[in-house]
Amino acid sequence: MKSGDHATIDVPESSTAAKGEAPLIATPKEQKSGLKKGMGIFDFLLRLAAIIAALAAAATMGTSDETLPFFTQFFQFEASYDDLPTFMFFVIAMALVAGYLVLSLPCSIITIVRPRAVAPRLLLFILDIVALTLATAAAAAAAAIVYLAHTGNPNTNWLAICQQFGDFCQKVSGAVVASFVNVVVLMLLILLSGFALKKQ
């Protein structure tokens, strides 16, 4: 080896650089898309929970009926949801909310498959507000009647009937609780949709 010669060392190129593979760290755009997809999945699960709560409220109220074991020659003591227009409105309203939530599931699936789609999220946001308004009105009206059934109102001579119709009051009270669970879930859905739209 002569003094004028220079030694060269060949450094092999890494397989990652040679193949041109992308780095393992996700880009901000991919992270944003993953976040929206996660919110879409959470939206779908919340809608399933809201459907169960609305159906439970409507079914429980719709089957609330109790007849006392004693009666007179002219009267039979019976309590049923269809005796009160407020409870009938409650059943119809919760059935409509449950029907809407079932029909909204395809749009929720679209937000999972296409996380960047704005139109389905905006449509769900608007219709969820309408459903929340209807559910809140039905739940609040039924809660007022259930309160009177439990406590009565001496000032207006409204007697408490829950001491006599215990099973009926238990059912309608459970229906009201389920309806307020539905209201809370709908509020979460609206907040989630608003947050997702803000992140667009």
Side-chain angles (χ1 to χ4, degrees):
M1 187 178 196
K2 297 180 181 180
S3 59
D5 295 339
H6 297 283
T8 58
I9 300 174
D10 295 331
V11 179
E13 194 175 6
S14 64
S15 59
T16 303
K19 295 179 181 179
E21 294 181 357
L24 297 178
I25 301 175
T27 62
K29 192 174 183 179
E30 291 174 345
Q31 290 178 348
K32 191 174 181 181
S33 178
L35 177 63
K36 289 179 183 177
K37 188 173 183 179
M39 287 190 293
I41 295 172
F42 189 49
D43 178 274
F44 183 81
L45 295 177
L46 283 177
R47 288 183 188 281
L48 291 179
I51 290 170
I52 294 172
L55 287 177
T60 304
M61 182 67 78
T63 56
S64 59
D65 187 9
E66 183 179 6
T67 302
L68 297 183
F70 57 87
F71 55 90
T72 66
Q73 183 178 1
F74 302 102
F75 296 102
Q76 183 177 15
F77 299 97
E78 180 183 6
S80 178
Y81 83 97
D82 54 3
D83 293 333
L84 295 167
T86 302
F87 286 165
M88 293 181 65
F89 166 69
F90 178 90
V91 173
I92 295 171
M94 297 312 297
L96 288 174
V97 170
Y100 155 71
L101 288 168
V102 171
L103 294 176
S104 71
L105 290 178
C107 284
S108 182
I109 294 173
I110 292 175
T111 62
I112 299 174
V113 178
R114 300 178 58 189
R116 298 177 186 173
V118 179
R121 289 190 187 276
L122 183 60
L123 179 64
L124 290 176
F125 181 74
I126 296 171
L127 294 179
D128 285 347
I129 293 176
V130 176
L132 174 63
T133 304
L134 183 61
T136 304
I145 299 300
V146 170
Y147 176 79
L148 287 175
H150 279 281
T151 62
N153 190 332
N155 296 328
T156 56
N157 293 324
W158 288 346
L159 301 177
I161 65 170
C162 286
Q163 294 180 354
Q164 292 78 25
F165 298 94
D167 292 340
F168 173 77
C169 286
Q170 186 175 4
K171 276 193 171 185
V172 295
S173 298
V176 170
V177 171
S179 67
F180 277 108
V181 171
N182 176 264
V183 167
V184 172
V185 177
L186 283 172
M187 291 174 64
L188 292 176
L189 282 170
I190 292 171
L191 291 175
L192 185 65
S193 296
F195 181 75
L197 288 170
K198 184 180 179 182
K199 291 292 183 181
Q200 291 293 340

